[in-house]
Amino acid sequence: QVQLVESGGGLVQPGGSLKLSCVGSGFVFSDYAMGWIRQSPGKGLEWVSSVSSGSNTKNYKKSVEGRFTIFRDNGRNTVYLQMDNLQPEDTAVYYCVKGRTPLAFRGWTAFEGVDETRGRGTQVTISS
């Protein structure tokens, strides 16, 4: 079955950086778009970024554009999220998600082209 395992979260000061990783298994990784969503206390799920299967298209939530970079290594079945200039509002649990097609997406529901499988997530905390 589809499995997604995230890692790389932690506690950093504002302006700091983190690199999240997600290893996918149970499916042909290179056939599907991948992405990241997040959930912070008191807030619903937020889509953050996605990348198409062949890395031709990358989409970002407006508030992270220019600070976050998504990339993937299909040979390692891994998608990454490089996060720079982190701000307190980026504090959340970050989840890796798999698309239902090769096309990059902007959401987290099946209607928006995202598989329902979730990993355990990785906590990102930005605090001084």
Side-chain angles (χ1 to χ4, degrees), residues 5 8-9 17 19 23 32 41 48 59 66 74 79-80 84 88 112 121-122 128:
V5 180
S17 297
K19 180 182 172 183
V23 179
Y32 296 93
V48 177
N59 295 327
N74 287 342
V79 60
Y80 304 93
D84 298 317
E112 292 160 316
T122 187
S128 53

Side-chain angles (χ1 to χ4, degrees), residues 11-80:
L11 169 64
V12 298
Q13 293 186 337
S17 297
L18 283 172
K19 180 182 172 183
L20 307 184
S21 301
C22 169
V23 179
S25 62
F27 61 103
V28 181
F29 188 85
S30 59
D31 282 353
Y32 296 93
M34 298 294 297
W36 293 89
I37 62 176
R38 67 188 183 188
Q39 185 162 28
S40 49
K43 275 190 173 182
L45 284 169
E46 278 189 314
W47 168 77
V48 177
S49 180
S50 66
V51 56
S52 60
S53 60
S55 300
N56 295 321
T57 303
K58 298 180 181 182
N59 295 327
Y60 298 95
K61 177 182 172 63
K62 196 154 188 165
S63 63
V64 309
E65 202 152 16
R67 300 188 297 121
F68 290 11
T69 303
I70 190 169
F71 58 104
R72 63 191 292 164
D73 183 341
N74 287 342
R76 295 178 183 268
N77 286 7
T78 303
V79 60
Y80 304 93

Side-chain angles (χ1 to χ4, degrees), residues 87-114:
Q87 301 301 316
E89 54 265 33
D90 296 317
T91 295
V93 178
Y94 283 71
Y95 299 92
C96 166
V97 290
K98 169 189 165 293
R100 294 185 145 201
T101 76
L103 303 176
F105 47 84
R106 292 179 180 269
W108 62 87
T109 68
F111 180 76
E112 292 160 316
V114 182

